Amino acid sequence: VECNIHRIHSRVPAAIIQMMNNIMGKAEIKENTGLWEEIAKRNRFDKKLYERARPLSWAEGYGAWKVNANKEYSDYPMIEYYEAENVDYVLIGDVIVGVMYKSFYKDRHNKDYVLIETRFVKDKNSYITYELFKLDKNNDLQEVPLETVENLAYLKDKETVIPGLNRILGVPVKYIESILYPGYGESLLTDYSDLFDMIDEAYSQL
């Protein structure tokens, strides 16, 4: 005879992720300007790293940091973390040569849009390109002008080139190389999902 059992989660996966986060300890950032402490403070970098970036990267397999510079808002670089579902890598073989970031917006009529921002290196120059797509009810994409969304009015051009900067203005994050998807990372929990389900089931029955 079957009966309803209150499902309880053991939180073992969360405990494993937190343990790995603690083991890695404080991040060591090396730079030559002497400004990192102030940049980190203004960006709440430690909080973003320990409470969001590391746990999500261990759990999802990968992600990416994005670095912005906008003198109108700050004299310091602005740093954001994008989780796996909002990031794709641009690959040549299994080498990352660019990062695609997805950001979501609504216009005044409550219509949905996604901005695809691609940052890559080509011919030893750094590029940033912008493409804005309207999302319909079936999640099909239709490209529209950037000025369609008021919040994106500051993007004057669809492409920005920084000559002589031979690096991506973004940092891919992954801790375990994926076997199935070269170039991407793999979740720490990938091989244990069935085991965690069994633990949760036994815990619930108890």
Side-chain angles (χ1 to χ4, degrees):
V1 178
E2 294 185 2
C3 61
N4 292 326
I5 295 176
H6 179 55
R7 184 62 181 258
I8 300 174
H9 294 285
S10 64
R11 295 188 58 80
V12 171
I16 293 173
I17 296 297
Q18 188 59 53
M19 179 190 68
M20 294 302 298
N21 205 10
N22 294 337
I23 288 174
M24 294 184 73
K26 184 176 176 60
E28 294 185 10
I29 309 293
K30 295 181 180 180
E31 50 84 37
N32 299 320
T33 66
L35 296 174
W36 172 249
E37 292 298 328
E38 187 63 26
I39 293 171
K41 179 181 176 181
R42 289 173 179 264
N43 281 277
R44 298 183 302 156
F45 179 78
D46 287 347
K47 183 177 180 67
K48 291 178 182 177
L49 176 64
Y50 302 134
E51 297 183 11
R52 179 172 172 79
R54 274 186 181 169
L56 283 174
S57 298
W58 278 117
E60 299 176 343
Y62 64 96
W65 293 99
K66 187 172 81 170
V67 182
N68 287 323
N70 191 324
K71 285 288 188 177
E72 292 185 14
Y73 298 99
S74 176
D75 292 329
Y76 296 91
M78 295 177 287
I79 305 171
E80 300 176 73
Y81 179 79
Y82 280 65
E83 59 189 284
E85 67 177 2
N86 294 327
V87 166
D88 281 307
Y89 297 153
V90 181
L91 300 161
I92 296 180
D94 59 355
V95 178
I96 299 173
V97 297
V99 181
M100 297 174 63
Y101 300 90
K102 290 176 277 189
S103 302
F104 296 87
Y105 296 88
K106 287 183 180 290
D107 66 9
R108 64 176 69 179
H109 305 293
N110 211 35
K111 294 180 180 178
D112 294 307
Y113 299 84
V114 57
L115 177 70
I116 307 295
E117 182 177 346
T118 307
R119 300 181 172 207
F120 61 97
V121 171
K122 181 180 177 183
D123 300 327
K124 296 185 178 181
N125 299 317
S126 189
Y127 290 79
I128 305 175
T129 62
Y130 304 97
E131 298 170 286
L132 182 65
F133 296 91
K134 180 181 177 182
L135 292 167
D136 64 18
K137 293 180 181 179
N138 299 318
N139 281 334
D140 291 329
L141 300 178
Q142 175 188 352
E143 188 169 5
V144 296
L146 293 172
E147 59 267 22
T148 304
V149 176
E150 289 186 2
N151 288 347
L152 300 177
Y154 69 94
L155 297 177
K156 305 298 183 184
D157 302 303
K158 293 192 66 174
E159 180 177 274
T160 299
V161 184
I162 306 174
L165 182 64
N166 189 24
R167 64 178 62 184
I168 305 166
L169 282 178
V171 181
V173 178
K174 54 182 178 177
Y175 298 121
I176 304 172
E177 287 287 341
S178 173
I179 297 174
L180 295 177
Y181 305 102
Y184 283 81
E186 184 172 282
S187 170
L188 177 67
L189 310 174
T190 296
D191 295 330
Y192 304 101
S193 57
D194 290 342
L195 175 60
F196 295 140
D197 285 341
M198 292 171 62
I199 293 172
D200 287 349
E201 181 179 352
Y203 190 47
S204 299
Q205 290 173 349
L206 286 172

